[in-house]
Amino acid sequence: MLTLTANAAQAIRDLTAATPEPAQSGIRISSQGEGSSSLTLTLATAPEPADEVVETEGARVYLDPVAATVLEDKSLDAGADDQGSVSFLVTEQSA
């Protein structure tokens, strides 16, 4: 299952704090369609019915079935640039 670093959890909490439903909001990672290797990340107010939910330290990530499979052995990290823009990075889970 996808894991979140402390940096990613904090970034997700920061992003969802300003949403209308912060208690249920998270980020959603979804595929671009069947057979596509591209994933997109968007803010979501709730999971879709088939989504897998990953919750760490109050941060929620909703994964569609394709994304859940692609990311099952990965870790999500986050960082910010000098302007404060957040970027997410998928890495291999450390042993």
Side-chain angles (χ1 to χ4, degrees):
M1 177 179 284
L2 178 71
T3 60
L4 306 180
T5 66
N7 287 342
Q10 183 63 53
I12 294 165
R13 286 193 306 272
D14 291 347
L15 287 169
T16 59
T19 62
E21 293 288 335
Q24 290 298 314
S25 295
I27 60 169
R28 183 165 194 268
I29 302 175
S30 56
S31 62
Q32 292 287 331
E34 201 64 37
S36 174
S37 60
S38 296
L39 298 174
T40 58
L41 186 147
T42 55
L43 280 174
T45 55
E48 296 293 324
D51 284 355
E52 182 176 306
V53 179
V54 176
E55 187 167 353
T56 303
E57 299 174 18
R60 283 165 300 287
V61 178
Y62 306 128
L63 303 168
D64 80 0
V66 173
T69 300
V70 170
L71 300 174
E72 68 184 348
D73 61 346
K74 305 290 189 240
S75 183
L76 187 66
D77 195 8
D81 63 19
D82 294 338
Q83 289 78 40
S85 295
V86 175
S87 60
F88 289 94
L89 175 68
V90 174
T91 62
E92 297 294 326
Q93 287 181 4
S94 54

